[in-house]
Amino acid sequence: MYRALQLVLPRPSGTVRTCVLLALLAATGVAILELVREQTGTSGFFVGLGLALLPVAPLMAAFRWLGRAAPAPWSQLLFCFGWGACTAALIAILANNFATEWIAAATTDASAADHLGSVAIAPVVEESAKAAALLLVFSFRRRHFTGPADGFVVAGFTATGFAFTENILYLGNAFVEDLADRSGVLESVTMATFFVRIVLSPFAHPLFTVLTGLGFGVAAVSARRSRRIFLPLLGLALAMGMHALWNGSSQFGEHGFYVVYSCVMVPVFGLLVWLAVRIRRNRLRAVEGELALYAAAGWLGAAEVPALASMPARSLARALARRSGGRAAGRTVARYEADAAALALLRNRARRGGPVRERDFAGRELELLHRLWQSRATAGPALARAAVMEELVPPWFDPQDPNPDPAAARTDVPGPRRADQDRGAPDPTRGTGTGPTLEPAPGATPGTARESGLRRSGPWSSATPAGPASIRPCVLPGGDEVR
């Protein structure tokens, strides 16, 4: 029946979905603002707002750093933050209050209702509300959800927004309580709340939701339908369990909070930090390995590949472009870097057999290659110069030399091995059967693409500047072609 409805009812366009989501965020934002201000009072709201802002920028910067290898659009990240701060927070407050009041009325024990709501109701409601943002991105922006790193980033921004609103509420209520009791600064509830929520555990909500994000991220590169359903649910269950343990830590005795914090929260946080660094490093390696194949076919210069696989070199290339061509040139280099990383990860997913086996691989690859070719005149020299300055290529290598093989410039000095040679991968200019096969165009020499004529391929028009290679369909394990 669901498939029949899909055939009858047209799928909403991207513009319609965007307008609906923006309207939803605006409505929930106004509602949560008024609800929090009503509970904390105006003075408490502004005090809570000022204190809750402190951890937001560091957390967002940390998650953005993790995703810099293939950055997601800021609009997507801000949507996730807004969903956590507005929609998820509103759902959580209303649902938690309703459940707690219902339990208290049924049991006539307000204390037990509060405890049960904190340990059993809040983790389920809050993690489910935050997971809805991940599900939306996973469903409608699959192009930008390419692996565990994207799960980390999307979950982190969503949870940071949720924690921001929750901190305003807790800190604002604490300030109002201190005003009523006329407590001193050191003995104030505000100071204690600030120390626990802002100093000791600003990472608590991101830690929980990142477990859900990892489930979605691994599902994004999984070929089995069962895993694409099971892994997000497993991540969500782990997030709920960690959240329940954290909320119930005060019930484990006088030192229960400190035991859970030191024996569970800190080790899990350290493990996730290690995993994030490892995922980022592996992602950069994947970018280098896949782009080496395109460089061998002439789409990229030899020095561009190590530069695109190095975050310091990317930053330097943007700075060099801004210095010589202004902000517009810097933005062009940034788009070139993002498109190159997206191309590499697209090919990597196709090689591994993604969830839909990358049926749109050929069209998406041509689109990215076309965009790269349009920007290469500005970005290529900046990246090559950055590679030389960062010592990613031999010091004698001339970034203006069109020859893509540094070893050819100096026969007496061994040149760097390509990433595909290090991995033992076949030459990409020959049919491998494991990925898209790249063929130099007739009369084109790899590395001299700027001077060569290019074969028309795919949906390009005859007036479109062609690239130095034509692309065959990606042949995945099992013999299936990605069209």
Side-chain angles (χ1 to χ4, degrees):
M1 181 176 178
Y2 175 72
R3 292 184 177 180
L5 288 176
Q6 280 187 316
L7 295 175
V8 174
L9 299 176
R11 186 177 181 179
S13 65
T15 302
V16 172
R17 293 198 301 267
T18 300
C19 292
V20 170
L21 290 175
L22 288 177
L24 177 62
L25 288 181
T28 54
V30 171
I32 193 67
L33 178 68
E34 178 58 26
L35 183 61
V36 172
R37 191 200 63 79
E38 181 181 347
Q39 293 190 24
T40 61
T42 303
S43 59
F45 173 80
F46 283 107
V47 170
L49 175 65
L51 296 177
L53 276 172
L54 295 178
V56 170
L59 286 172
M60 293 177 68
F63 287 111
R64 183 64 173 172
W65 171 87
L66 173 60
R68 286 296 295 172
W74 268 110
S75 57
Q76 176 178 300
L77 299 180
L78 293 178
F79 161 76
C80 292
F81 181 87
W83 180 277
C86 301
T87 309
L90 181 63
I91 293 172
I93 290 177
L94 295 178
N96 288 340
N97 289 343
F98 173 80
T100 302
E101 291 175 2
W102 182 81
I103 294 172
T107 61
T108 66
D109 188 346
S111 177
D114 288 339
H115 172 64
L116 185 60
S118 174
V119 176
I121 305 299
V124 174
V125 171
E126 294 176 10
E127 295 307 322
S128 299
K130 288 182 285 183
L134 281 70
L135 180 61
L136 288 172
V137 176
F138 184 81
S139 301
F140 298 106
R141 288 293 183 268
R142 184 71 62 85
R143 179 178 292 184
H144 302 299
F145 211 122
T146 59
D150 295 304
F152 249 102
V153 175
V154 172
F157 270 77
T158 305
T160 299
F162 185 90
F164 169 66
T165 300
E166 192 176 71
N167 286 336
I168 296 175
L169 184 62
Y170 277 92
L171 290 166
N173 285 334
F175 179 76
V176 172
E177 184 178 343
D178 288 334
L179 286 181
D181 297 340
R182 297 184 179 180
S183 302
V185 175
L186 296 180
E187 299 84 11
S188 66
V189 180
T190 304
M191 180 62 69
T193 305
F194 178 84
F195 180 74
V196 172
R197 299 189 64 88
I198 306 299
V199 178
L200 279 184
S201 58
F203 57 85
H205 273 288
L207 185 150
F208 307 144
T209 313
V210 157
L211 298 175
T212 307
L214 284 175
F216 276 101
V218 177
V221 294
S222 178
R224 295 185 180 179
R225 180 180 178 84
S226 59
R227 291 183 180 178
R228 298 200 304 272
I229 297 174
F230 171 73
L231 290 175
L233 293 177
L234 175 61
L236 179 60
L238 292 175
M240 292 176 180
M242 284 288 296
H243 198 155
L245 179 64
W246 174 248
N247 284 0
S249 60
S250 59
Q251 306 297 321
F252 299 154
E254 183 179 356
H255 303 291
F257 169 81
Y258 300 102
V259 171
V260 172
Y261 180 81
S262 59
C263 297
V264 179
M265 296 291 288
V266 172
V268 173
F269 174 74
L271 177 63
L272 288 178
V273 169
W274 172 82
L275 184 61
V277 173
R278 184 178 179 85
I279 288 174
R280 185 176 189 264
R281 186 182 299 124
N282 289 342
R283 207 175 204 193
L284 288 172
R285 288 176 180 172
V287 167
E288 183 175 20
E290 301 297 345
L291 291 183
L293 305 178
Y294 290 98
W299 285 99
L300 302 171
E304 292 179 46
V305 175
L308 289 167
S310 168
M311 299 310 298
R314 287 195 199 181
S315 178
L316 178 59
R318 295 193 297 272
L320 292 173
R322 284 193 297 269
R323 188 182 305 170
S324 60
R327 292 183 178 179
R331 288 192 294 269
T332 299
V333 174
R335 285 194 300 269
Y336 186 89
E337 294 169 350
D339 288 340
L343 175 65
L345 295 177
L346 175 72
R347 191 178 194 279
N348 187 258
R349 287 186 71 204
R351 182 194 300 277
R352 298 167 60 182
V356 292
R357 300 186 69 81
E358 298 298 334
R359 294 188 182 92
D360 63 339
F361 174 85
R364 176 62 175 159
E365 185 185 42
L366 283 176
E367 176 190 348
L368 290 169
L369 287 171
H370 189 191
R371 284 159 54 176
L372 288 174
W373 196 253
Q374 289 180 322
S375 304
R376 190 181 174 195
T378 299
L383 285 164
R385 181 59 180 163
V388 172
M389 295 176 68
E390 289 289 325
E391 300 181 352
L392 301 176
V393 293
W396 43 261
F397 179 67
D398 181 7
Q400 303 300 324
D401 187 353
N403 194 324
D405 186 5
R410 286 269 307 269
T411 58
D412 58 322
V413 180
R417 292 175 61 83
R418 293 201 317 263
D420 57 316
Q421 292 173 332
D422 291 335
R423 297 180 304 171
D427 188 337
T429 61
R430 301 173 184 172
T432 65
T434 59
T437 305
L438 308 180
E439 287 183 340
T445 302
T448 59
R450 278 176 288 186
E451 293 89 5
S452 64
L454 306 171
R455 178 184 299 177
R456 179 184 176 191
S457 176
W460 295 1
S461 65
S462 58
T464 302
S470 61
I471 313 300
R472 293 179 184 170
C474 175
V475 182
L476 299 172
D480 296 333
E481 284 189 355
V482 174
R483 294 287 181 180

